[in-house]
Every structure is written in structure tokens, then in C-alpha cells.
Amino acid sequence: MGKIIFYEGRNFQGRHWECSSDCMDTFRHFNCCNSIRVSGGHWVTYEKPYYMGYQYILGPGEYPDYHCWMGFNNCIRSCQMFPPYRGSYRMRIYNRPDMMGHTMEFMDDCPNVYDRFRFRDIYSCNIMEGYWIFYEHPNYRGRQYFLRPGEYRACGDWGCHNPMVGSFRRMRTMM
């Protein structure tokens, strides 16, 4: 069973709240979040309620400051735990919306999309197997986007405002 603990202060200080399931709106539990402990499971936390806004993918461990989870600020307003996955990974990316244009299939991590795909923009994708994380910049940096199996016909479907994806990796239970 997974558990995540949110702390209002840095270095696990101040008021805190423990969570062991999805929460669409954390506002009634804490005002801000400056540190997090994940004692089980893998989590996606969101800057806004109802699983909207910037996404942060967290595995088991301690995050004493919001910079440690690549946070842009100390605002966490919703969270989801995702189940362990040990199967195979497969996805197709496209350089046009609605799964059109040039395509390439991936089954492994990609630290630099342009080096492998020759296009800087990914407008749509089909996640056929596994969980994936898209990053705004190469080498797994910048904003993160968590993708479950399914079709994403436009980049807005996975929560981004522009189609620029610099890198991606498989979300494995053993990080």
C-alpha cells in the first residue's frame, strides 16, 4: 500500500497530512507544500485541483524542498497513486495532431527526442503498453507529463500547452 505525506514546512516541518489514495483537492488538508515523504507507491502530484496543472512524478523517498521534486512553487492541490507495472512498454509518437504525419515506435527511454525522432514537436501519441513520462527538455528536465495507456490526439490531452517534448522515459516501479 502506498503512502505520501505532505508537509507545509521545508525539511518535513510544520503541519502535515498523510494520504494513501487519490485526492482531487488537498486544500482542506494543508495550505502549501514545501516537503514530501513517499513511503510507498508511486505518485503523480498536481499543482491544481482535479488533477490539473503542472505534474510531478514521485517515487519512494524524501523530498525536503519543492525544488527536489522539480517543483515550480510550493503548491500541490491534488494527487494520484498509480499501480505498480511490470509489463512491457510500447508507444507511438507522431509529429502531427490526430496521430498523423511521421511516426516512430518506442519501447525504451529516450534522453533526446530530436536525436532519435528528428522532430522537435510531438503533437500526438498512442501509449499502447506501460506508463510513460514526457519531459519538456532533453535529459529528463523541465515540466513532466504522466501518460497512461490510451490515445492522446493532441498535446493538450496530456496537459501541455505546446508540443515540445525533449525526452521521455518509461515509468517503472523500480526507479
Side-chain angles (χ1 to χ4, degrees), residues 13-33:
Q13 299 297 308
R15 200 168 107 188
H16 68 278
W17 178 66
E18 293 184 17
C19 180
S20 58
S21 63
D22 297 353
C23 181
M24 293 190 315
D25 192 352
T26 62
F27 186 70
R28 65 184 175 164
H29 304 290
F30 54 86
N31 296 322
C32 63
C33 181

Side-chain angles (χ1 to χ4, degrees), residues 108-116 137-141 166-169:
D108 58 348
D109 299 350
C110 180
N112 190 315
V113 171
Y114 184 74
D115 287 350
R116 299 257 314 265
H137 301 296
N139 299 311
Y140 316 114
R141 295 179 304 112
S167 54
F168 54 78
R169 66 171 52 156

